[in-house]
Amino acid sequence: QLQLVESGGGLVQPGGSLRLSCTASGVSLEHYVIGWFRQAPGKEREGVSCISSNGRNTNYAESVNGRFTISKDNANNTVYLQMNSLKPEDTAVYYCAGDQVIACGRYFLRSLDLDYWGQGTQVTVSS
């Protein structure tokens, strides 16, 4: 069974950068679409980005397009989210999630019933 663990969150100033990692255990990530989601206090969880099982296709929410980059390292069984030009509104708990059925795209980023979820990592953007 796929198990996901996020890391790399923290406190950063506006305009700064962070790289989040989503490391899998149990099975190989090469068979899964992986996505990043976030949930800010008092708000619904929203999809941020996803990457296909072979790493060739990606999708981003409009709010992060051009600032965030998702990548996949199947050899290390890890998906990364490089976050640049961070804004206070990026503050949230970030979760990674995986699924074998739903393709990476807008539908994946709207899905909250994906099969596998991590526990989340806090990202705080503040001066």
Side-chain angles (χ1 to χ4, degrees):
Q1 183 170 345
L2 180 65
Q3 295 178 322
L4 301 171
V5 177
E6 304 92 338
S7 61
L11 173 64
V12 63
Q13 292 186 343
S17 298
L18 280 175
R19 188 178 78 161
L20 304 183
S21 299
C22 172
T23 301
S25 61
V27 295
S28 172
L29 272 185
E30 65 182 353
H31 305 299
Y32 291 83
V33 175
I34 300 295
W36 286 96
F37 295 75
R38 66 186 182 185
Q39 188 165 18
K43 294 189 177 181
E44 293 184 351
R45 190 173 295 188
E46 63 172 347
V48 174
S49 181
C50 60
I51 189 165
S52 61
S53 57
N54 61 13
R56 294 175 185 170
N57 298 317
T58 59
N59 201 274
Y60 297 91
E62 282 191 24
S63 58
V64 306
N65 199 20
R67 299 188 298 123
F68 291 10
T69 303
I70 192 170
S71 60
K72 196 176 193 186
D73 183 347
N74 283 333
N76 289 315
N77 233 21
T78 300
V79 170
Y80 302 100
L81 185 69
Q82 178 66 43
M83 306 186 296
N84 298 328
S85 302
L86 282 162
K87 305 175 181 180
E89 51 263 43
D90 294 317
T91 296
V93 178
Y94 283 71
Y95 301 88
C96 63
D99 201 276
Q100 284 188 294
V101 176
I102 303 174
C104 173
R106 292 185 183 276
Y107 182 78
F108 185 98
L109 294 182
R110 290 197 298 265
S111 300
L112 300 182
D113 59 348
L114 302 174
D115 287 339
Y116 305 99
W117 290 85
Q119 293 301 306
T121 185
Q122 176 70 47
V123 171
T124 303
V125 185
S126 175
S127 55

